[in-house]
Amino acid sequence: MATRALIGYLDDSRLLTTTYNHYDGYPEYLGKKLKEFYNTDDLAKEIANTGYISSVEEDGSITSKFDKTSADKIQLDDDVIEAGLKVAQEIKIISGEYGYIWIGYDWFTIK
């Protein structure tokens, strides 16, 4: 069974770039791998721009069964509550259980 997750990168203009992760999206696995292998601004931006991820492997490499190479882009509202609701809606759309958003310097987990 898949534990779906959204991986996102939030830039200074509040543009959220997201990709879908299909397997092993729980914090003890994907959350740990993001912090271990994608822990800089450039690396976080890179993974969020992948478009589709089947899974992140033990060594941090990405496996993908599909060729979707374009990520989704979402402009978030200035209001932090509205922005949070929009992120939650995007997680729900993909039937995700978790969201991981890179904001400036670290990964933040949303359940």
Side-chain angles (χ1 to χ4, degrees), residues 15-104:
L15 182 66
L16 181 65
T17 302
T18 67
T19 194
Y20 170 81
N21 182 87
H22 192 72
Y23 293 108
D24 299 322
Y26 47 92
E28 299 81 12
Y29 186 81
L30 181 58
K32 181 179 173 185
K33 296 301 171 198
L34 291 172
K35 288 182 184 239
E36 184 176 354
F37 295 105
Y38 297 93
N39 59 0
T40 68
D41 196 67
D42 288 340
L43 292 171
K45 189 175 193 175
E46 180 182 318
I47 195 167
N49 274 286
T50 301
Y52 178 93
I53 296 172
S54 293
S55 63
V56 175
E57 302 302 321
E58 285 289 329
D59 64 359
S61 62
I62 294 171
T63 302
S64 181
K65 294 180 182 175
F66 299 100
D67 290 331
K68 182 181 180 210
T69 57
S70 62
D72 293 321
K73 308 278 185 179
I74 304 151
Q75 186 64 52
L76 297 180
D77 196 280
D78 287 337
D79 181 88
V80 70
I81 293 172
E82 289 299 320
L85 290 171
K86 182 66 176 169
V87 172
Q89 178 184 13
E90 293 300 316
I91 295 168
K92 184 177 180 180
I93 287 170
I94 65 165
S95 298
E97 294 183 44
Y98 298 96
Y100 302 94
I101 310 296
W102 178 269
I103 303 174

